Amino acid sequence: MTAVMEKPEKTAAAEPAAPAKSVRKVSRPVMIGAILVVWLVLFALLRGKQTLSLAVADLTDLHRWINDFNDSIGANRNSNPLFLYFFNEIRLVIDNLVTFVQHLISQPSGARPVPEIGWLGVVGLAGFVSWAVGNWKVALLAVAGFTFFGLQGLWQESMDTLALILCAVFVALLFAIPLGVWAGLSDRFNRLMTPFLDLMQTMPTFVYLAPLTLFFLIGGASATIATVIYAAPPTIRITAHAIRNVSKTTVEAADSLGATRRQSLLKVLLPMSKRTVVMGVNQTIMAALAMVTIAALINAPGLGVNVLQALQSLDVGTAFNAGLAIVIMAIVLDRVTTAASARAEHARNSKNRFEKWRRPLLGAGAVVTAVLVYLSRTYLWAADFPGDGTVGTHIASGTDTAANWVQDNLSGLTNAVRDAITNGLLNPFQTLLTDSPWWLVGAVLVALAVVLGGWKAGITTAVCVGLLVATGVWSDAMTTMASTIVATVLVMILGIVFGVWMGRSMTADRMIRPTLDAAQVMPPFVYLVPFLALFGPTRFTAIVAAIVYGAPVAMKIIADGIRAVPETTVEAATSAGCNTWQIITKVQLPMSRSALTLATNQGLIYVLSMVVVGGLVGAGALGYDVVAGFSQGELYGKGLAAGLAIVLLGVMFDRITQAAARRAGA
């Protein structure tokens, strides 16, 4: 009996030591595939039901309420204390600042038929300032660029754009640098600011305009304030980053010598962060230029007006001429500020024997510049740019000729490409999004967000979906989403192909990267012009422009990710007999997952902003709603709701891809 009892005891004791059966975890690709299959099945059963479609001229109760609210603000603008003593005062200060700078360099001032400083003085000042903060090469570039504006016949328009940029950057830096310093010194404030900065940088340029006109009316003030809000975040972020990266030993050494907190900031932290802070200023200037050109939609003066009017009338030549001026201004401003960021280090390391003559030469240059300014204030020939802009006329004419040739001789090819992508990819996907019940699309988006980014991303997506439904423009939002996702897929294909090439070959990187850098300088407005000539006013034009606009950032991020893969890992794969294709697909791309996800994140944000701008050239959907809201008073509420929908799409895309990037890097 004892023997019988002992045997089960041994068996029971041995069971825990036996290997347990492992539960196989379902992979993310399988889960995503299952979600998509369920979606397709339910789409086939429920197609066309509960789609929340809305005709172009139809309004919801929310849109009518916004219209009524806008009307009530207009009626009480000069009696409501909040407007009398706050919003109107801000608008007055900004208007006075913009008017002052315009009278200085672009618009007639008082009884004078020309500005206070004419073209010769402005060119002289541009060259001198560029030389003082940078070097003689960028000074020559600035002089050539500013002179070219006059030759194009766009001197006043260019100076109006420059005036708005100067005002917006000045106001932005007044707030951005102190906030950046504070965020660099305080972890708590940095955590508080980060969500706001994320939101401000996620929102496309279009979105800032409509709500600001509600409080500041259309014109230069709203344009400047919108530009300040859009352009300030880069300087805040980069300044905070620069302050945090100052060597702790240097700060401790200053503290040990008895430096106060103020002295440590002014004598150590800011001087050692100077170069990085100037890089932030560079990014703010570039953002300001992009925003100022878009602000033509709310009656902001400058080159954006020329581009907007030309796009609306499909005048490709005029649009190209004005777009070229914007590109040149962007290149000049970018090169000058980039040279300024490297100036101090270059001066320390330079062994050039002419460096010691720099100050005397700058003094002489200041005298020459003062003479040019005096001449431009005194003589009409030095104030009003000579000539009638024949160079611009020839550029516009040549562009029209080229566009007509392309349309006559390459229309078969361009139409084939357009139809293949539109009919083969865009239309089916758009139909899937717009003809599915809204709750089904929402459930799919939430499920994908949970799988890709986790529960927090899923909750954010659920909130965004609910608010999208509330805006009343669900169908248009789905159309914009379809264009955005299709364009992002094509951006990632280009990004992977060229990014892998650049990451594996330094020669390819040196050849391609300068072009990518130049492409990122151009404002989004400009990208529409050449593709309007190729494909006409269609949504495909906006998609192609979005691809070209978003691809550079994706290529650079992927190239850096590929290059970050350890050489020892690649060598081990090579020694194991892997060929080039296997090394790329089995080693480098899998080990660059976080870079790929980050590239997707940035590509989505860039593409969304460009697809929305494409509403100007027939892209329709949310972009058209926003533009129509500016031009047709009865659609103002719908346009504002469309702007909110764009923000919600941007936030949703951003949170999902950021969470996915964190998971990939974990």
Side-chain angles (χ1 to χ4, degrees), residues 232-252:
T235 292
I236 297 174
R237 282 189 186 277
I238 294 174
T239 300
H241 172 76
I243 294 293
R244 289 177 178 276
N245 280 331
V246 173
S247 172
K248 295 190 185 308
T249 56
T250 306
V251 178
E252 290 169 358

Side-chain angles (χ1 to χ4, degrees), residues 131-135 270-276 278 336-350 355 358:
W131 181 24
V133 302
N135 54 59
L270 285 178
M272 295 191 69
S273 307
K274 180 180 176 182
R275 178 174 183 177
T276 308
V278 176
V336 170
T337 49
T338 301
S341 68
R343 174 67 211 157
E345 183 178 348
H346 175 76
R348 284 196 302 270
N349 299 332
S350 178
E355 190 66 29
R358 177 175 170 80

Side-chain angles (χ1 to χ4, degrees), residues 410-435:
L410 299 181
S411 59
L413 176 62
T414 56
N415 290 344
V417 172
R418 182 191 65 199
D419 294 343
I421 294 178
T422 301
N423 298 326
L425 190 60
L426 180 59
N427 284 347
F429 187 48
Q430 181 175 313
T431 300
L432 181 63
L433 282 169
T434 56
D435 286 4

Side-chain angles (χ1 to χ4, degrees), residues 211-495:
L212 287 172
T213 59
L214 191 66
F215 300 102
F216 300 105
L217 301 177
I218 63 172
S222 291
T224 304
I225 294 168
T227 304
V228 168
I229 297 171
Y230 182 71
T235 292
I236 297 174
R237 282 189 186 277
I238 294 174
T239 300
H241 172 76
I243 294 293
R244 289 177 178 276
N245 280 331
V246 173
S247 172
K248 295 190 185 308
T249 56
T250 306
V251 178
E252 290 169 358
D255 292 340
S256 66
L257 293 173
T260 63
R261 188 178 180 88
R262 178 185 177 87
Q263 289 172 328
S264 179
L265 174 64
L266 297 178
K267 302 293 185 182
V268 179
L269 292 173
L270 285 178
M272 295 191 69
S273 307
K274 180 180 176 182
R275 178 174 183 177
T276 308
V277 171
V278 176
M279 289 174 60
V281 175
N282 168 276
Q283 294 301 301
T284 289
I285 291 173
M286 293 298 101
L289 177 58
M291 190 70 195
V292 162
T293 53
I294 292 291
L297 287 166
I298 56 172
N299 206 29
L303 293 166
V305 175
N306 296 66
V307 178
L308 177 62
Q309 292 175 347
L311 289 176
Q312 291 174 336
S313 61
L314 304 182
D315 186 349
V316 177
T318 301
F320 182 83
N321 187 44
L324 180 61
I326 295 171
V327 171
I328 292 171
M329 183 171 290
I331 292 172
V332 170
L333 295 175
D334 178 61
R335 294 299 181 267
V336 170
T337 49
T338 301
S341 68
R343 174 67 211 157
E345 183 178 348
H346 175 76
R348 284 196 302 270
N349 299 332
S350 178
K351 297 180 181 179
N352 191 334
R353 58 193 178 90
F354 294 108
E355 190 66 29
K356 64 180 181 180
W357 295 101
R358 177 175 170 80
R359 287 191 178 181
L361 290 174
L362 282 175
V367 172
V368 173
T369 303
V371 171
L372 296 179
V373 170
Y374 170 77
L375 292 174
S376 71
R377 293 193 76 249
T378 308
Y379 299 100
L380 188 61
W381 62 267
D384 197 9
F385 198 94
D388 54 359
T390 53
V391 171
T393 303
H394 291 317
I395 291 173
S397 176
T399 303
D400 284 332
T401 301
N404 291 333
W405 183 89
V406 167
Q407 291 169 0
D408 292 339
N409 296 277
L410 299 181
S411 59
L413 176 62
T414 56
N415 290 344
V417 172
R418 182 191 65 199
D419 294 343
I421 294 178
T422 301
N423 298 326
L425 190 60
L426 180 59
N427 284 347
F429 187 48
Q430 181 175 313
T431 300
L432 181 63
L433 282 169
T434 56
D435 286 4
S436 293
W438 70 267
W439 52 265
L440 175 59
V441 178
V444 169
L445 291 173
V446 172
L448 291 175
V450 171
V451 172
L452 293 172
W455 287 106
K456 289 184 179 179
I459 293 171
T460 302
T461 301
V463 172
C464 289
V465 168
L467 292 175
L468 277 171
V469 173
T471 61
V473 289
W474 172 266
S475 183
D476 285 349
M478 292 303 99
T479 301
T480 296
M481 181 187 286
S483 299
T484 301
I485 293 177
V486 168
T488 303
V489 169
L490 297 175
V491 162
M492 289 305 297
I493 292 172
L494 288 174

Side-chain angles (χ1 to χ4, degrees), residues 204 206-207 426 429-431 433-434 445 468 473-489 539 542-543 546 603-615 618-626 641-650 652-653:
F206 246 30
V207 178
L426 180 59
F429 187 48
Q430 181 175 313
T431 300
L433 282 169
T434 56
L445 291 173
L468 277 171
V473 289
W474 172 266
S475 183
D476 285 349
M478 292 303 99
T479 301
T480 296
M481 181 187 286
S483 299
T484 301
I485 293 177
V486 168
T488 303
V489 169
R539 58 181 172 162
I543 289 176
L604 269 169
I605 299 305
Y606 274 65
V607 164
L608 177 61
S609 64
M610 191 69 225
V611 165
V612 172
V613 173
L622 294 178
Y624 172 80
D625 292 338
V626 174
L644 175 60
I646 294 165
V647 174
L648 294 170
L649 288 178
M652 184 171 65
F653 289 148

